[in-house]
Amino acid sequence: MKIAIGNDHVGYNLKLHLSEYLKQKGYDLENFGCDSEESCDYPVFAKKVAEAVASGRCDLGILICGTGVGISIAANKVKGIRAVVCSEPYSARLARQHNDANILAFGARVIGPAIAEMIVDEFLNAKFEGGRHQKRVDLISQMENE
Ligand code: RB5
């Protein structure tokens, strides 16, 4: 599975931590920046990750800013993206199982590295269940074309 990962300056250190964690687990990661703690604009990196996922170049994405809010709002502007902010593992699992979320976002000012690992594990290990959830996801997709 290929994972796109991106962040702003606030998310940089947590991105480094999670990149090591995920590489050790055997995931193929593509880093879309930013790559320092110098102040930058999260929509730039949200767009890069979202386009990589929407195009199929990467299977899923992870985005980190201060809260996960701004970077997920920006990612959701790209057609085909269902980005979710999760600060605990249960929502991360259900976001994949029920909502077919394709980008996970969270905030480096909200959660620490240990809970971030748990959230990422739940998100990446869960599978979309389809069935009654497919119709609902399709209704969301239809809204993009209206
Ligand atoms: C940057 O100060 C901060 O606004 C950003 O990281 C993020 O939390 C936005 O939603």
Side-chain angles (χ1 to χ4, degrees):
M1 188 189 284
K2 186 160 187 182
I3 310 295
I5 193 162
N7 54 279
D8 72 356
H9 52 294
V10 185
Y12 173 63
N13 285 313
L14 186 53
K15 187 266 295 287
L16 292 183
H17 175 87
L18 285 174
S19 297
E20 276 313 302
Y21 178 74
L22 291 171
K23 278 179 196 162
Q24 281 176 15
K25 289 193 164 230
Y27 287 104
D28 183 10
L29 279 189
E30 185 164 357
N31 172 34
F32 289 88
C34 76
D35 292 308
S36 82
E37 291 183 274
E38 189 178 330
S39 183
C40 64
D41 300 320
Y42 58 79
V44 172
F45 305 97
K47 185 167 190 271
K48 289 177 195 243
V49 166
E51 287 178 346
V53 173
S55 70
R57 173 171 164 169
C58 293
D59 299 297
L60 293 172
I62 297 173
L63 286 168
I64 315 166
C65 65
T67 58
V69 173
I71 210 160
S72 60
I73 291 172
N76 277 317
K77 298 299 178 191
V78 173
K79 191 173 179 180
I81 291 303
R82 290 175 296 280
V84 289
V85 187
C86 295
S87 300
E88 39 74 30
Y90 180 77
S91 299
R93 185 201 303 176
L94 270 289
R96 289 286 304 126
Q97 291 178 338
H98 287 193
N99 313 114
D100 201 15
N102 49 16
I103 293 185
L104 170 66
F106 43 79
R109 288 175 173 153
V110 179
I111 60 167
I115 191 118
E117 289 175 8
M118 294 172 74
I119 292 167
V120 166
D121 282 345
E122 289 295 327
F123 188 79
L124 297 182
N125 291 331
K127 299 272 178 292
F128 179 51
E129 291 176 354
R132 69 188 191 280
H133 304 296
Q134 183 65 61
K135 179 186 169 201
R136 295 161 187 167
V137 172
D138 289 345
L139 286 168
I140 295 171
S141 300
Q142 276 176 32
M143 292 166 70
E144 290 179 324
N145 299 317
E146 287 169 8

